[in-house]
Amino acid sequence: MSNNLLQVDKLNTKIFHGDYTVDAVCDLSLELKEKEILAIIGESGCGKTMSMLSIANLIPQNAKVVSGQIIFNSKKLNISDEKELQDIRGSQISYVFQDATASLNPIFTIGEQIKEMFIAHNCFSPNKAKESASKVLELVNLKPAQKYYNYYPHQLSGGMNQKAMIAIAVASKPKLLIADEPTNSLDRITEITILKLLKKLNAEFNLSIILITHNISLIENFADTIAIMYAGRIMEKGLSQEILHSPKHPYTKALLDCLPKKGKELNAIKGSVPNLAKLPSGCKFHPRCPYVMEKCLKDEPDFVKISQEHSVKCYLQ
Ligand code: SF4
């Protein structure tokens, strides 16, 4: 039997904009084992967030998961059963959004917001919920807990609010935490602190994590596996060390080429991310690809396994 916590097969999400429709997520397939950390990487506008919102059933009202299958914790989820998906999301899948300060409720203290999670999801009494909230504050290094319990979001820095969001997210003891650009707009030191905190939660609680990021430099030594997304599709996925040190897809290579290197000029990928409403024909990366061939213009390549753990969506394999 598979030890996957999450298995997604050919998931498709559309966004409806009155007179036109956007294929925001196209044939998304991925697996996540228990305790695995997967990083979803790509430039802004590549469909990373919409893919994960589709899994967590948090898509906007004008979007719909139209086909595909999600198996979570050995249970096949009915993607059209709103209630079932909501129950799973509330108790077993937690989502941390990128703007923590905007996600927290400004009129309640951090402690009260965590306490509410314990009452709602664990049916704790108010006293037990308060005690548990204090323990979670300690866990995410907001110490001393008595002090931070009574702070309002506006009294904390962006990094501290992100820790508070993570505390709220783990209060329901989820099996999967999806963290959407949790270090966006934080300085480098705070960024590392947040990643260390996620790694600690992963190790101590066997928590599986999906980290969405546009910053490929962040994930070495953090993620076990990587999926590279472009135009709502996964272009390459595999073990992180393999992808980082032996990338196969031209888009992955281009992302890695953009990392700052000592003594070298900073590179940028030519062109821009395509508008999902006006995708190019054939391979969606072809307008930016230095290796484009005739057939790339007409037909989209399949997603092909090149080893047990490594798959690529490109003709050049
Ligand atoms: Fe480039 Fe063609 Fe591969 Fe697309 S399929 S990434 S255009 S070589």
Side-chain angles (χ1 to χ4, degrees):
M1 199 178 146
S2 132
N3 62 345
N4 288 337
L5 173 69
L6 173 71
Q7 182 158 344
V8 180
D9 290 310
K10 293 201 167 292
L11 200 73
N12 286 279
T13 302
K14 288 183 185 289
I15 303 178
F16 302 94
H17 290 285
D19 53 346
Y20 69 98
T21 303
V22 169
D23 291 321
V25 180
C26 190
D27 284 344
L28 181 88
S29 295
L30 55 85
E31 308 83 38
L32 183 76
K33 295 184 180 69
E34 283 186 21
K35 212 182 162 178
E36 180 179 331
I37 301 181
L38 164 70
I40 308 270
I41 298 167
E43 296 160 281
S44 295
C46 280
K48 307 180 300 291
T49 294
M50 190 53 78
S51 301
M52 295 306 112
L53 291 176
S54 299
I55 293 171
N57 186 36
L58 285 167
I59 49 176
Q61 274 191 334
N62 65 335
K64 188 172 176 12
V65 177
V66 290
S67 60
Q69 177 174 276
I70 302 173
I71 299 174
F72 183 77
N73 202 20
S74 306
K75 188 172 188 284
K76 184 176 164 185
L77 306 185
N78 182 350
I79 55 169
S80 51
D81 185 338
E82 196 73 11
K83 164 101 180 59
E84 179 182 67
L85 294 173
Q86 246 168 34
D87 289 347
I88 298 264
R89 172 168 49 84
S91 59
Q92 297 184 53
I93 302 177
S94 284
Y95 206 102
V96 173
F97 293 91
Q98 50 179 285
D99 188 352
T101 308
S103 304
L104 289 162
N105 191 329
I107 61 168
F108 291 105
T109 69
I110 298 298
E112 283 163 345
Q113 294 183 57
I114 304 171
K115 179 181 149 188
E116 274 314 303
M117 285 299 288
F118 280 107
I119 294 173
H121 290 286
N122 304 50
C123 300
F124 283 2
S125 67
N127 280 346
K128 190 168 176 202
K130 185 170 183 185
E131 196 183 305
S132 301
S134 299
K135 280 188 191 154
V136 179
L137 282 169
E138 297 266 340
L139 180 72
V140 300
N141 299 324
L142 287 176
K143 302 177 196 173
Q146 301 93 307
K147 173 176 153 191
Y148 288 103
Y149 189 98
N150 294 313
Y151 272 29
Y152 289 88
H154 74 269
Q155 295 175 292
L156 297 177
S157 67
M160 284 172 171
N161 274 332
Q162 196 53 275
K163 286 181 183 176
M165 276 305 295
I166 293 170
I168 291 172
V170 297
S172 61
K173 294 215 170 87
K175 290 183 181 300
L176 169 62
L177 178 77
I178 302 176
D180 189 347
E181 304 267 14
T183 61
N184 218 13
S185 71
L186 299 179
D187 62 76
R188 187 70 184 167
I189 292 171
T190 315
E191 202 168 53
I192 292 166
T193 312
I194 296 289
L195 291 185
K196 277 189 179 163
L197 170 61
L198 291 174
K199 196 88 177 163
K200 171 177 139 179
L201 297 171
N202 159 258
E204 282 184 23
F205 302 103
N206 292 340
L207 182 67
S208 301
I209 296 175
I210 298 179
L211 173 77
I212 301 173
T213 180
H214 64 276
N215 188 351
I216 201 165
S217 72
L218 273 185
I219 38 87
E220 177 136 50
N221 305 320
F222 178 76
D224 303 304
T225 48
I226 290 176
I228 305 288
M229 280 203 81
Y230 190 78
R233 291 133 170 87
I234 292 182
M235 292 299 194
E236 180 164 14
K237 69 178 176 187
L239 300 175
S240 48
Q241 291 305 321
E242 205 172 326
I243 302 249
L244 293 175
H245 299 292
S246 183
K248 299 293 181 223
H249 197 284
Y251 181 52
T252 315
K253 290 180 186 171
L255 286 172
L256 287 164
D257 273 351
C258 294
L259 292 179
K261 288 179 195 83
K262 224 178 175 178
K264 284 202 168 180
E265 267 185 44
L266 214 53
N267 278 337
I269 309 176
K270 71 161 193 171
S272 52
V273 171
N275 179 341
L276 290 174
K278 290 181 194 154
L279 286 177
S281 59
C283 171
K284 305 310 168 213
F285 188 59
H286 88 244
R288 305 174 80 187
C289 181
Y291 312 101
V292 59
M293 302 168 280
E294 196 62 37
K295 62 178 169 181
C296 310
L297 309 181
K298 294 188 207 121
D299 302 311
E300 187 165 5
D302 290 331
F303 197 55
V304 178
K305 243 184 181 197
I306 57 168
S307 72
Q308 189 56 30
E309 308 275 0
H310 197 164
S311 305
V312 186
K313 193 176 175 65
C314 172
Y315 288 123
L316 285 178
Q317 307 314 317

